[in-house]
Amino acid sequence: MVLSMKVHQFARGFWDEPSLSLGCKRLRPLAPKLQQHNQHPTSDTTTTTLTSFDLKTFIKPDCGPRKLGSSHDHNKDSSSSSSSLQTGVETHPGGTRWNPTQEQIGILEMLYSRGMRTPNAQQIEHITAQLGNYGKIEGKNVFYWFQNHKARERQKQKRNSLGLPHSPRTPPPPPIIPTFHTAEDDSPYKRKCLYWGFECLVEDHNGIMCKKEEGHDRTLELFPLHPERR
Amino acid sequence: MVLSMKVHQFARGFWDEPSLSLGCKRLRPLAPKLQQHNQHPTSDTTTTTLTSFDLKTFIKPDCGPRKLGSSHDHNKDSSSSSSSLQTGVETHPGGTRWNPTQEQIGILEMLYSRGMRTPNAQQIEHITAQLGNYGKIEGKNVFYWFQNHKARERQKQKRNSLGLPHSPRTPPPPPIIPTFHTAEDDSPYKRKCLYWGFECLVEDHNGIMCKKEEGHDRTLELFPLHPERR
DNA sequence: GCAAATTAATGATTTATTCAAG
DNA sequence: CTTGAATAAATCATTAATTTGC
């Protein structure tokens, strides 16, 4: 199959699609990268595009490495300590990776404790919007948080079960996630539901305090988040 | 700090309540670190009041098992009706999986052969747009194609090297790929929700696609659009 | 007390596996 | 049985928390 693609030129230019330009918004003050908008104005070219395939369009001109972070702040406040550091180190105001605030973590854990494991896009958006009230955050952060948290809880559990395998069988297998019905029925709102109630420690058979894992009860049933399967 | 949470409200009406304030902080898992990062300049108090947390918003109608392929809101203009994407491939309400056309496969393989492995969000969009001329396709299809193709080439290679280890050396391992590192990229929020984003290739002096050196940014949005499956 | 050096967490990606449509 | 789609496991990388020497 030959597609009439014009491979020959990998010339650059063109990736900047007009429409998306917005993206380029975040440039940081530091490196002024200039993005190039180049030529090719248009061309609606696309005309061709209709049927032909322009390889060249696949090459991005390269935009500089902009890292940045974003506006924002996050305020790592940090410090108190006097300033100190900031001195140039760059902590750059923008940091690179997301640094969750207590509130954000709290909400996320609450949701997790209620059974949420892999929120869908819609949910992620929602959560992101809510958490945005407490600090900078993006959808992907939420997505990753759930992935990581789920995976790490899993390892932790595994480690524990191996480390002290008493309890022959019934190795706390299924996290069990509550079943979440719809609110309405059982008394959903019965619990007080401390915001961050999770983390609650409980005493196990041996009198050792441990974190109650994924418990079934705890405060729950508040809302039908959709139970994840599994 | 007190959390002034109005717990009682959790009672009924919860969903109706517009919002519930929350603000408390939580302890960190093991080591209580108290960091306080509270964000928001504004109050340092965490009064909570500032923002409210609407639990109910997490529920969302969602409802049904929507499977649909990705329609997902977002501007994706969706399908219905029109076609933004051309050809009217049917929008298949039912959501089926992508069924690539010869042309699409051809282009993808060509790109793969040139070294592309993990296109970033921008590239995916571009590719998607191009391939859209040959049949219905979405960004995630492109993303997955590269992932699967890469992984399967890898297995195939492994199998071959083991199965018939003639050719002592050079077991065609390196697909050639230039270096691919991360890339920079762009835009964080730019996308509403691109399915996922990744590295970006750039052209080097020789016109070969390679990964842009040193950028560390990979910032992109990612997350699966509909996770609910299964 | 401070800050470089070290360590513990955990955010972000990549790779391997699994599941299921066709 | 091929392969699109999705998840889980493994890995990489940064930042926060600690420790340590001056």
Side-chain angles (χ1 to χ4, degrees):
Chain A
M1 86 211 24
V2 179
L3 333 165
S4 48
M5 23 179 117
K6 290 102 155 271
V7 186
H8 44 313
Q9 47 202 40
F10 255 176
R12 47 189 63 265
F14 221 50
W15 257 99
D16 348 301
E17 54 269 50
S19 49
L20 280 215
S21 40
L22 62 158
C24 292
K25 258 182 171 176
R26 60 229 278 14
L27 311 171
R28 259 313 222 66
L30 287 191
K33 230 53 195 331
L34 31 128
Q35 41 200 72
Q36 32 191 19
H37 294 308
N38 315 308
Q39 50 265 85
H40 279 329
T42 47
S43 45
D44 55 122
T45 81
T46 10
T47 57
T48 37
T49 45
L50 253 208
T51 44
S52 62
F53 176 68
D54 245 334
L55 223 200
K56 83 179 181 211
T57 63
F58 286 88
I59 297 50
K60 184 180 191 172
D62 162 313
C63 348
R66 28 141 110 344
K67 194 191 202 340
L68 125 348
S70 32
S71 36
H72 127 325
D73 50 332
H74 243 353
N75 73 59
K76 329 180 73 319
D77 82 10
S78 40
S79 21
S80 30
S81 29
S82 54
S83 54
S84 35
L85 269 198
Q86 333 254 123
T87 61
V89 170
E90 31 183 6
T91 334
H92 278 309
T96 16
R97 71 182 202 183
W98 170 55
N99 202 344
T101 63
Q102 288 299 315
E103 288 86 356
Q104 292 174 327
I105 294 290
I107 294 172
L108 290 168
E109 294 203 359
M110 196 242 321
L111 292 171
Y112 185 90
S113 74
R114 282 196 153 42
M116 185 174 273
R117 293 290 179 283
T118 313
N120 63 26
Q122 206 176 132
Q123 293 173 306
I124 287 177
E125 255 182 59
H126 239 84
I127 297 169
T128 302
Q130 291 291 322
L131 300 193
N133 292 319
Y134 305 97
K136 185 180 192 285
I137 187 171
E138 291 181 72
K140 69 174 193 173
N141 304 130
V142 173
F143 170 75
Y144 283 140
W145 188 90
F146 278 97
Q147 287 233 126
N148 284 319
H149 199 69
K150 178 171 54 175
R152 283 162 180 153
E153 283 296 309
R154 208 183 278 134
Q155 326 181 295
K156 193 183 300 183
Q157 218 167 60
K158 183 180 293 182
R159 258 202 305 279
N160 287 341
S161 65
L162 294 177
L164 30 136
H166 45 96
S167 175
R169 65 324 218 44
T170 57
I176 305 197
I177 306 177
T179 334
F180 295 97
H181 304 309
T182 292
E184 243 63 8
D185 54 22
D186 56 334
S187 14
Y189 325 162
K190 61 244 268 138
R191 304 285 281 105
K192 312 273 262 94
C193 187
L194 288 194
Y195 305 121
W196 332 113
F198 26 91
E199 193 69 287
C200 39
L201 300 178
V202 294
E203 195 174 346
D204 70 10
H205 321 293
N206 305 315
I208 299 186
M209 293 297 265
C210 59
K211 188 169 174 185
K212 185 167 185 183
E213 205 48 31
E214 208 56 45
H216 336 266
D217 45 297
R218 208 177 277 199
T219 45
L220 20 222
E221 279 43 193
L222 280 206
F223 52 101
L225 280 180
H226 347 225
E228 312 279 339
R229 79 347 172 50
R230 208 183 204 337
Chain B
M1 89 167 343
V2 180
L3 337 166
S4 46
M5 27 177 109
K6 287 101 161 260
V7 187
H8 39 303
Q9 312 201 317
F10 253 41
R12 208 276 99 157
F14 180 60
W15 304 119
D16 312 332
E17 271 306 344
S19 58
L20 124 51
S21 52
L22 70 86
C24 61
K25 10 200 54 266
R26 134 185 175 44
L27 321 172
R28 260 321 203 76
L30 290 188
K33 26 182 102 174
L34 31 121
Q35 57 194 120
Q36 43 184 22
H37 286 312
N38 294 323
Q39 69 295 4
H40 283 356
T42 45
S43 54
D44 40 71
T45 61
T46 335
T47 54
T48 323
T49 53
L50 261 208
T51 35
S52 52
F53 176 67
D54 217 343
L55 228 195
K56 86 176 185 215
T57 62
F58 286 88
I59 306 194
K60 250 5 205 153
D62 172 57
C63 15
R66 69 306 219 24
K67 200 176 188 355
L68 240 177
S70 45
S71 30
H72 197 289
D73 31 270
H74 291 311
N75 42 2
K76 201 192 174 354
D77 55 343
S78 56
S79 30
S80 29
S81 54
S82 51
S83 57
S84 36
L85 270 194
Q86 62 281 37
T87 62
V89 174
E90 60 246 317
T91 328
H92 54 304
T96 25
R97 68 182 199 176
W98 170 55
N99 202 346
T101 63
Q102 284 302 312
E103 288 86 358
Q104 292 174 327
I105 293 292
I107 295 172
L108 290 169
E109 294 201 352
M110 196 255 304
L111 292 172
Y112 186 90
S113 73
R114 302 231 11 136
M116 184 173 275
R117 292 292 179 281
T118 315
N120 66 23
Q122 214 177 120
Q123 292 175 305
I124 288 177
E125 250 184 56
H126 219 85
I127 296 170
T128 302
Q130 292 289 323
L131 300 192
N133 292 319
Y134 306 97
K136 184 177 191 292
I137 188 171
E138 290 181 72
K140 69 175 192 174
N141 304 130
V142 173
F143 170 76
Y144 281 138
W145 188 89
F146 278 97
Q147 289 241 121
N148 285 320
H149 199 68
K150 177 172 53 175
R152 282 160 182 155
E153 282 297 310
R154 208 184 278 135
Q155 316 181 305
K156 191 182 299 181
Q157 222 166 58
K158 183 180 294 182
R159 256 201 307 280
N160 287 341
S161 65
L162 294 176
L164 35 136
H166 49 94
S167 177
R169 64 340 203 40
T170 57
I176 303 183
I177 305 177
T179 354
F180 288 100
H181 302 339
T182 304
E184 72 182 0
D185 150 282
D186 60 21
S187 53
Y189 304 93
K190 64 189 23 40
R191 301 287 282 94
K192 304 295 246 91
C193 197
L194 241 211
Y195 310 117
W196 352 62
F198 290 66
E199 326 187 333
C200 88
L201 299 181
V202 294
E203 189 177 351
D204 72 347
H205 320 295
N206 307 314
I208 298 187
M209 295 291 268
C210 60
K211 195 162 173 194
K212 186 159 185 187
E213 182 73 278
E214 216 43 42
H216 2 53
D217 33 311
R218 308 152 177 269
T219 355
L220 333 286
E221 302 299 342
L222 28 146
F223 47 82
L225 289 187
H226 37 214
E228 280 321 9
R229 91 351 173 33
R230 271 198 228 208

